[in-house]
Amino acid sequence: MYMSSLAHFDVFAELMEEKSTSVNVGGGGVNVNTRKGKLGGDTHVNVGGKGVGVNTGKPGGGTRVNVGNPFDYLYAASETQIHEDPNVALFFLDKDMHPGATMSLHFTENTEKSAFLPYQTAQKIPFSSDKLPEIFNKFSVKPGSLKAEMMKNTIKECEQPAIEGEEKYCATSLESMIDYSISKLGKVDQAVSTEVEKQTPMQKYTIAAGVQKMTDDKAVVCHKQNYAYAVFYCHKSETTRAYMVPLEGSAGTKAKAVAVCHTDTSAWNPKHLAFQVLKVEPGTIPVCHFLPRDHIVWVPK
């Protein structure tokens, strides 16, 4: 559906002829490293200055299933998630984004990586709740296992309708993510993600001078999902502002964090994580959040 517009995005023009493509997404834009060959090999996406991989959410290492994606604004947060989800700290109010403001944050580094499937391969694999047995069988996933529940939740979130004022799409290949973004934005200026110079535990960060507004209203934001292969939940909004925010940690860590501010939250679930954490009501004031390291904002020209 979204293949045609790839040719209009110069930096990805050769993608259709490549066997293996790795994409580094960082504050400076998109850098594509390719190896010649037929499309059909695995495609890997590394997000951030250090090449942070797409997290598969594989069992082990303390991985767990969160009931509700904090970047899906239809869901209601559970009491457990409010106290345990590390993404809680990423939400803040628009008025608090200024030099000198401090926040306790933990930008985690994913150690698990999963490959994007080539477009042609992804199109042949079912991606729907009514095909779960077939999907589990294809990827040798045991029904009822942690991995099966994560995959089931991802598909469920992808199948839910978009909130009023937004459009959504789950990209199961790199090509489809690029094409979706171009189809919604027209010309794309850059794709950016949060960069942290090194992996550290949670610490207090201070916003430094030099906050840069990247877009006033329109953007496509793509969030990494837990699945057997790389899947990104993308949504486009006309009421979104995106910023690059320089941060200085108390332990000396420096970061360039992507912040997204939603100026109209009236259609969000009143029990969404952001409202419960920030103690505000839907549709009253802009709600902002930093993006984890493996999520991407596509900025229009």
Side-chain angles (χ1 to χ4, degrees):
M1 177 178 180
Y2 296 111
M3 293 297 288
S4 60
S5 60
L6 266 173
H8 301 300
F9 197 18
D10 290 344
V11 75
F12 293 109
E14 294 184 3
L15 181 62
M16 307 308 297
E17 298 177 359
E18 305 304 333
K19 180 176 181 180
S20 182
T21 304
S22 79
V23 179
N24 293 309
V25 182
V30 181
N31 175 42
V32 183
N33 300 311
T34 59
R35 292 190 294 276
K36 285 286 183 184
K38 247 182 174 179
L39 186 64
D42 289 340
T43 301
H44 296 269
V45 171
N46 293 316
V47 181
K50 298 270 186 173
V52 181
V54 176
N55 188 359
T56 60
K58 290 181 180 178
T63 305
R64 56 186 169 77
V65 178
N66 280 330
V67 180
N69 175 356
F71 306 109
D72 178 351
Y73 307 118
L74 282 175
Y75 95 102
S78 66
E79 192 67 27
T80 300
Q81 188 170 13
I82 293 171
H83 294 292
E84 294 184 4
D85 192 333
N87 289 312
V88 166
L90 297 179
F91 287 92
F92 61 96
L93 295 178
D94 184 55
K95 66 180 181 63
D96 295 325
M97 187 167 53
H98 59 82
T102 59
M103 304 178 191
S104 293
L105 302 167
H106 184 203
F107 295 107
T108 58
E109 180 174 34
N110 294 316
T111 56
E112 299 285 356
K113 298 182 180 181
S114 67
F116 264 124
L117 297 179
Y119 176 81
Q120 293 93 332
T121 302
Q123 290 298 101
K124 296 175 183 177
I125 298 175
F127 188 80
S128 63
S129 294
D130 59 357
K131 297 290 187 180
L132 279 172
E134 181 181 344
I135 296 170
F136 291 156
N137 182 62
K138 183 172 185 63
F139 291 100
S140 302
V141 175
K142 183 180 179 181
S145 66
L146 176 62
K147 187 169 184 178
E149 288 304 303
M150 287 190 291
M151 292 172 66
K152 178 180 176 181
N153 286 343
T154 290
I155 291 178
K156 181 180 177 182
E157 289 171 358
C158 288
E159 291 176 335
Q160 288 178 341
I163 65 171
E164 185 179 349
E166 286 196 350
E167 299 177 54
K168 62 180 285 190
Y169 173 71
C170 281
T172 57
S173 68
L174 176 60
E175 295 95 324
S176 61
M177 179 168 64
I178 296 166
D179 261 0
Y180 174 77
S181 300
I182 295 172
S183 74
K184 297 303 174 184
L185 300 176
K187 293 183 178 180
V188 174
D189 182 45
Q190 57 183 330
V192 294
S193 64
T194 292
E195 297 181 48
V196 183
E197 63 180 10
K198 61 182 178 180
Q199 175 67 11
T200 61
M202 180 174 283
Q203 62 182 287
K204 183 175 289 186
Y205 283 91
T206 301
I207 296 179
V211 175
Q212 175 192 357
K213 181 186 285 187
M214 295 184 289
T215 178
D216 276 318
D217 48 19
K218 185 167 63 174
V220 169
V221 184
C222 294
H223 306 283
K224 176 272 306 172
Q225 301 296 291
N226 291 319
Y227 206 66
Y229 52 90
V231 171
F232 276 76
Y233 168 93
C234 301
H235 53 120
K236 174 250 186 181
S237 170
E238 300 280 353
T239 58
T240 297
R241 297 195 301 256
Y243 301 83
M244 183 61 74
V245 183
L247 298 169
E248 296 179 355
S250 57
T253 306
K254 292 186 178 180
K256 291 181 179 179
V258 175
V260 174
C261 293
H262 302 270
T263 58
D264 182 3
T265 61
S266 56
W268 292 23
N269 190 313
K271 292 188 177 181
H272 185 272
L273 182 66
F275 300 136
Q276 299 196 54
V277 170
L278 301 174
K279 309 299 182 185
V280 297
E281 300 293 327
T284 53
I285 57 176
V287 169
C288 305
H289 60 81
F290 288 114
L291 289 184
R293 295 175 70 176
D294 48 2
H295 297 208
I296 304 168
V297 172
W298 297 82
V299 179
K301 279 189 177 179

